[in-house]
Amino acid sequence: MLIYLSLPIIKLHGRKETDDRTRAIAERVFASETKEDDIRDEISLFDVADDCPILNQELAQHVTEDDDEEKRSKKSLKKISLFMVHPNLIFNQSPHSKKHLSRTQPLLEDKPTYLEVPHFQRLSITGDYAAGVTMDDFELACTGLYRALTIREKYMRLAFQRFPNTPSQFLCKIEGEQWKPEDQVLPVFTSPPKSGEDPFCTKDFPPNLGYVARMKDGVIYVYKDAASADKHQPLNHPGPDLVTFIDDMNFLIALIAQGPTKSYSHRRLKFLMSKFNVHEMLNEMEEMKELKKNPHRDFYNCRKVDTHIHAAACMNQKHLLRFIKKSYRVDADRVVHVLKGKEMTMKELFASLNLHPYDLTVDSLDVHAGRQTFQRFDKFNAKYNPVGASELRDLFMKTENHISGEYFATIIKEVASDLEDARYQYAEPRLSIYGCNPNEWTKLASWFNKHRVFSPHLKWMIQVPRIYDIFRGRNFVPHFGKMLENIFLPVFQATIDPNSNPELSVFLKHVTAFDSVDDESKHSGHMFSTKSPKPEEWDIVKSPSYSYWIYYMYANIARLNQLRKERGMNTFQFRPHCGEAGAVTHLLACFMTADNISHGLNLKKSPVLQYLYYLAQVPIAMSPLSNNSLFLEYNKNPLQEFHKKGLMVSLSTDDPMQFHYTKEPLMEEYAIAAQVFKLSTCDMCEIARNSVLQSGLSDEEKIHFLGTNYLKDGPEGNDIRKTNLAQIRMAYRYETLCYELNLIREGVMAD
Amino acid sequence: MLIYLSLPIIKLHGRKETDDRTRAIAERVFASETKEDDIRDEISLFDVADDCPILNQELAQHVTEDDDEEKRSKKSLKKISLFMVHPNLIFNQSPHSKKHLSRTQPLLEDKPTYLEVPHFQRLSITGDYAAGVTMDDFELACTGLYRALTIREKYMRLAFQRFPNTPSQFLCKIEGEQWKPEDQVLPVFTSPPKSGEDPFCTKDFPPNLGYVARMKDGVIYVYKDAASADKHQPLNHPGPDLVTFIDDMNFLIALIAQGPTKSYSHRRLKFLMSKFNVHEMLNEMEEMKELKKNPHRDFYNCRKVDTHIHAAACMNQKHLLRFIKKSYRVDADRVVHVLKGKEMTMKELFASLNLHPYDLTVDSLDVHAGRQTFQRFDKFNAKYNPVGASELRDLFMKTENHISGEYFATIIKEVASDLEDARYQYAEPRLSIYGCNPNEWTKLASWFNKHRVFSPHLKWMIQVPRIYDIFRGRNFVPHFGKMLENIFLPVFQATIDPNSNPELSVFLKHVTAFDSVDDESKHSGHMFSTKSPKPEEWDIVKSPSYSYWIYYMYANIARLNQLRKERGMNTFQFRPHCGEAGAVTHLLACFMTADNISHGLNLKKSPVLQYLYYLAQVPIAMSPLSNNSLFLEYNKNPLQEFHKKGLMVSLSTDDPMQFHYTKEPLMEEYAIAAQVFKLSTCDMCEIARNSVLQSGLSDEEKIHFLGTNYLKDGPEGNDIRKTNLAQIRMAYRYETLCYELNLIREGVMAD
């Protein structure tokens, strides 16, 4: 069986010479496009005055000087078009297509110039092929993988989460359907406030719908009114069905254990690794050439998002130390704490702890993870307490305390201001909702609004710690269902009637996703099945399993998103911690439910899941420095391996307070990965681009940071002028993914 | 044979309770001692205003508030003494000695309080022992190692370089002599200018001695007058003798290849490794406890010196990029270059290179070492040229060009100003003297004085590239002797008559050492022996061997130091690059001649040399990030291994422009080492302390940064309040070194 594969490549028609005039135009267009960035760009790293007049003057001159030439050369420009070519044809291309791109064609055509992929060396496989397994096994594996992808696609659509176009198109093709771009389902994020707009404005909320939200079997349904609620006649919002979900899950559990699929996936992953190594060997210099020719953009000034960071540890240890000392100097006599009804000033509080902030050091603060924390998540959690004192954690790192979380808000705003100064860095801090009490949301929203904790460089997420056992053990909640209700009901209610809780409605606008967090290595012993007790029946002290948690989080988020989408509000992604430790089934549950995950280390252990995460391009926020202190030594981290194979990985810090040493934790994370794994600039820019795609940045922001077509797959979706990511790399990734998907199609079709 | 060993340990007499009064005094004393540091300390990392009034007020209050109590408690203090104890006794110590130290005793006694070593667990070996080798082999090995140490001691003394007291005392004991502290030979460094003093002042130089300096057989001798010079009757300055040197060298070459010594050294090194691992396991928490109790000093605010950095690459790539852009904005129309007699403005220069600085990025700058440079020193050297253009290197990174090196001076001053802002970081940049021309020194000194390139945070070194073959090939020099003459004669002359070249005399005051640099993996094929041609006879195009180079550098530096010491001037250390690649004999030559070395990677390959470097505590400036790009992958770097065994290692950046990503290259170096090698705070502070000891900082500065007794070995020499290095660690290192030296003594005595 010879498998033919249609691969898209981009070719430039005509135009043999690049003359200086068109070059000048391209420069001018580029300069005007990136003007805003540039001014800050050159000075961001080393703090030159922001309004340097010489700089502005120079810029203005540079932009205008070739203005006349532009007019003269307009007519000499030719059209560029994009079409599909068989990979073998690529080697017969004329040398003209080798021309450098960003310099030649300005924005006078429909297709922007950066679409061109320079000539590069491709690896092509010819001859009969069944991936080294028997034909039967090949077909079996492909059919299984195909079904797995359809399962993920279904659950992503249901919750307004993302499933990339390329696999979606292949699935359509297999089903003999026509794929339409408008079928694409996307999450909705709140755009950044326009200038002059107040991000805390409580006006203009839509009116009360008068609906009733009520929990049934652990999931909140929306009803027209109380009467329909009593009869359980919910409004017609689609949502996941537990029985189907368990069926799908069981299918996947069987699939990841199935011999043929395992060996097929394993072989494909090995192939992907070798293929990338060959690609790198052959094209490394060509990729670098693209980047060198790309004016004015380098790794330092392409956007990167810290896709996984906890708000309570988002400052580094030295920052926290300085903040504590500063607060003491200013606020020593302020009442900051109440102990057994007695008010205490900060001075008294520190005295009661036998401490003087003057003597504090990062050593005595003791919030940094050391060798003692390796494999000890329990010890690690204790590191959240400065000087081992939970009072200080309460005072400095909580939203709820005697000073209404003022210090915590201030620290976060300082971190945000550092990010704004660094200009090209963004972060997605997580704040906790525990589900212990229905008022948590109101309090958190009130903290957010009161201290105006907003920055365009921060996108908020809600983390839900999986600590039901602790709350149930202390009798804070009667059963698991109540926790779910505490977590989700207030959000449903604020969605139905935003004006009933304006502060919460404002806060929700700025929340982009839910996270699920805790030590995954704790084992529950419970197997999630249709026979599992319903959440309202789950009243034992033991926690339900990871999958059980994940399903009910997902089911509620999916239904919530249906309602919010209908109301024109922003939706929430589900982005749990997953695969940091524990069973591989965690990764399976999240393959079904999560838009993207944090960690993913354990994909090492399951070739089928790893291959599925690759095929569906599920983003993974990896934190090798965090892993290094907790679960896995740095040089054993699979980051490099995943990246080479083409999994969509980003870099994140997790907890700068515990893990990082320098003033710029995210840059530290990138620098160390670059050094230890010998990443090229192109690799780093690819990871940075992945981080923007993975993040909850709004469509506007993504267009601004990645280019107009960022939603498209392949080189078409990349604007090298903004991402500094070589088109060769984009083409390689795209063609490789298409090749893998096509193999599966062949396997399924042969069936 | 049972070997008894006397080990020093420190014990606290009497005083069972620590009361608050004495505590307060200790705090007060400490606070006043470290006042100067503290003000900046808390704000250095995050740039709060330098003169924050609240801060000063708070500090003043903190210092004075317990003043009265001090008087009351004076009489209650008891004496602390230091004496020697058999290691076995340690375990019988009373629990009182467990008391915490830095808090108890103020400076009212002769012995400062920080001398105390808290109780810790020691590993003791009992029973007959001959290091696992036969008695004969043991004695043979020890005799050889003993002689090797005496050889190093001899050559160190001859050149006013350092040989630590502890091995020196052991050598004395073996020889049956009495060791006297005043026998210690030390280099002389220029003190930092007092406030108001001008570091460029050309007054007050000593008068002309009227001596004549002339080269004979590659070494410069000083004669009373021309007549004695003609007769070769030099003044009575001791200096190395070539024949003896070659004898010594041949002895060492035989020693490092000798079976018994190899296996003995190998076994001892393995033992040292295991011993440290046990120490760490048993005492890690105790060491940490010391640091946590140490007020106001942590890794961030203990001094660290970048012991190996090249001036031409001392800025990071982003800094250079920004500087080029800034210069262009300001100076586009300035004449900066002359090409074939034609003057060129910066604009014209960039135009001739087809560049516009506006488009430049770190990618197009292309000065960063990537995967392409691994094992390719040649490619690496090309990275010194921005955008591959040597014109830009000439313009921005040279001291000699059409603008008299103004840009280069400015960049260096910016780097220095960053270090001053960071406050706790120092650097020892190398400037080149090639030996191609006798005027090089005058030109370099003129650059230094003209642009006033001075900072208290920089200590200057001279690097001599070993590129005789290139100069000879182009007929720039007639023979190797002329190069040596060009390198050293001007310095001798400026030493004899400082006023003859005041600028050079000023510059030499600020020079602390000579370095010898080039790709060590280039093999010369020549074996240095008494039959080697004399430098004046070396007129072939091929370069002499590394050892030949090193000997003649050393011999001239030794004689120069004799002269300078006599004149009361600062002396120069010899601190060559050594053991980065190439033969292990490089490390042997430097064991004989160098105060300390850079790199030392190849100590991995010779257990005897590694053990000798340990015994003599030869400082090694390691640069794992540089090695990672050139010779050795990061996680294979022996830094951690050497550190564990007790070799005296420091961390350095080598070339931030090529290797580093962040704004603080030295912190990046420490952070990455800490992460990958899981260094504890104590490890990092030990490395930082080593770096200060290794550096050319003056005695005053070392006292300020490390404590009054920094020259003493063991816990006595450590001031934890300044170094944040646990006394337990100091005691462990000291006792371990004494144990090893004592074994050698036993072996020699048994002979």
Side-chain angles (χ1 to χ4, degrees), chain A residues 343-389:
Chain A
E343 292 194 332
M344 285 175 101
T345 63
M346 190 167 345
K347 204 168 186 172
E348 288 162 347
L349 176 65
F350 274 92
S352 78
L353 296 169
N354 264 320
L355 282 177
H356 192 295
Y358 183 79
D359 293 336
L360 271 185
T361 64
V362 298
D363 300 328
S364 51
L365 203 60
D366 196 22
V367 292
H368 215 253
R371 279 175 296 202
Q372 301 81 24
T373 52
F374 201 65
Q375 299 290 355
R376 291 293 302 276
F377 207 91
D378 52 338
K379 280 203 178 182
F380 168 71
N381 266 341
K383 289 276 180 184
Y384 268 99
N385 295 328
V387 209

Side-chain angles (χ1 to χ4, degrees), chain A residues 38 42 45 59 280 284 292 296 298 300 318 329 358 363 366 371 628 659 661 675 678 724, chain B residues 42 45 59 280 284 292 296 300 318 329 358 362-363 366 371 628 659 661 675 678 724:
Chain A
D38 299 336
E42 303 180 359
L45 193 64
L59 176 76
E280 200 173 35
E284 187 173 20
K292 281 192 197 174
H296 226 94
D298 54 36
Y300 288 94
K318 184 77 182 170
R329 286 195 301 270
Y358 183 79
D363 300 328
D366 196 22
R371 279 175 296 202
N628 186 49
F659 305 125
Y661 287 95
Q675 302 279 12
K678 302 213 168 168
N724 201 40
Chain B
E42 303 179 358
L45 194 65
L59 176 75
E280 200 173 35
E284 189 174 17
K292 281 193 197 172
H296 227 93
Y300 289 93
K318 186 75 180 171
R329 287 195 302 270
Y358 183 79
V362 298
D363 299 329
D366 196 21
R371 281 175 295 205
N628 186 49
F659 305 124
Y661 287 94
Q675 302 278 11
K678 303 215 168 164
N724 201 40

Side-chain angles (χ1 to χ4, degrees), chain B residues 492-717:
Chain B
F492 274 90
Q493 283 162 344
T495 303
I496 292 167
D497 183 10
N499 295 303
S500 69
N501 193 341
E503 284 194 332
L504 178 53
S505 301
V506 163
F507 179 51
L508 289 174
K509 267 175 65 178
H510 300 293
V511 170
T512 63
F514 283 87
D515 192 350
S516 171
V517 300
D518 197 20
D519 180 4
E520 285 186 70
S521 59
K522 288 195 300 196
H523 193 65
S524 78
H526 170 258
M527 160 87 190
F528 183 31
S529 73
T530 46
K531 289 182 193 121
S532 301
K534 297 271 173 296
E536 289 92 335
E537 297 155 9
W538 192 290
D539 55 5
I540 56 171
V541 174
K542 253 179 63 178
S543 256
S545 70
Y546 182 88
S547 307
Y548 189 100
W549 258 106
I550 292 297
Y551 171 74
Y552 284 103
M553 291 281 292
Y554 166 77
N556 281 294
I557 292 168
R559 291 196 169 270
L560 179 60
N561 281 346
Q562 293 284 349
L563 178 67
R564 291 182 70 86
K565 176 82 177 181
E566 187 185 277
R567 300 224 71 185
M569 293 168 170
N570 60 306
T571 60
F572 305 119
Q573 293 180 296
F574 187 37
R575 301 172 58 181
H577 278 53
C578 178
E580 184 181 13
V584 289
T585 50
H586 299 188
L587 288 157
L588 190 150
C590 288
F591 178 73
M592 297 171 71
T593 57
D595 184 275
N596 62 75
I597 62 167
S598 295
H599 291 303
L601 292 184
N602 279 344
L603 286 174
K604 263 181 139 174
K605 295 183 185 167
S606 168
V608 181
L609 279 170
Q610 192 182 134
Y611 192 50
L612 283 171
Y613 272 73
Y614 166 70
L615 292 172
Q617 291 285 297
V618 183
I620 308 167
M622 301 190 78
S623 310
L625 285 178
S626 159
N627 304 146
N628 186 49
S629 291
L630 279 166
F631 291 105
L632 190 70
E633 278 171 27
Y634 201 96
N635 51 45
K636 291 180 189 153
N637 199 286
L639 169 81
Q640 184 189 24
E641 181 193 326
F642 289 175
H643 171 70
K644 283 187 168 187
K645 287 175 182 165
L647 280 85
M648 191 178 165
V649 296
S650 67
L651 271 170
S652 56
T653 57
D654 199 346
D655 296 283
M657 182 178 83
Q658 273 102 339
F659 305 124
H660 295 73
Y661 287 94
T662 68
K663 286 180 240 181
E664 293 189 294
L666 188 59
M667 281 302 287
E668 186 176 344
E669 196 78 44
Y670 273 95
I672 297 181
Q675 302 278 11
V676 176
F677 298 132
K678 303 215 168 164
L679 301 180
S680 69
T681 308
C682 191
D683 293 330
M684 288 167 83
C685 292
E686 187 177 9
I687 292 171
R689 180 174 180 270
N690 286 347
S691 79
V692 176
L693 286 173
Q694 174 171 11
S695 76
L697 286 166
S698 66
D699 196 49
E700 284 92 322
E701 288 159 307
K702 282 177 183 151
I703 286 174
H704 181 203
F705 301 164
L706 303 180
T708 329
N709 294 324
Y710 79 92
L711 278 170
K712 292 192 180 157
D713 288 339
E716 232 188 323

Side-chain angles (χ1 to χ4, degrees), chain A residues 175 182 192 200 206 324 368 380 397 406 439 442 496 557 620:
Chain A
E175 284 145 24
E182 55 273 25
F200 298 95
I324 292 176
H368 215 253
F380 168 71
M397 287 135 84
E406 181 188 318
N439 290 330
T442 304
I496 292 167
I557 292 168
I620 307 166

Side-chain angles (χ1 to χ4, degrees), chain A residues 384-403:
Chain A
Y384 268 99
N385 295 328
V387 209
S390 63
E391 293 91 336
L392 296 187
R393 181 178 180 177
D394 285 345
L395 178 56
F396 289 102
M397 287 135 84
K398 292 274 183 187
T399 55
E400 237 189 289
N401 53 29
H402 191 74
I403 56 166

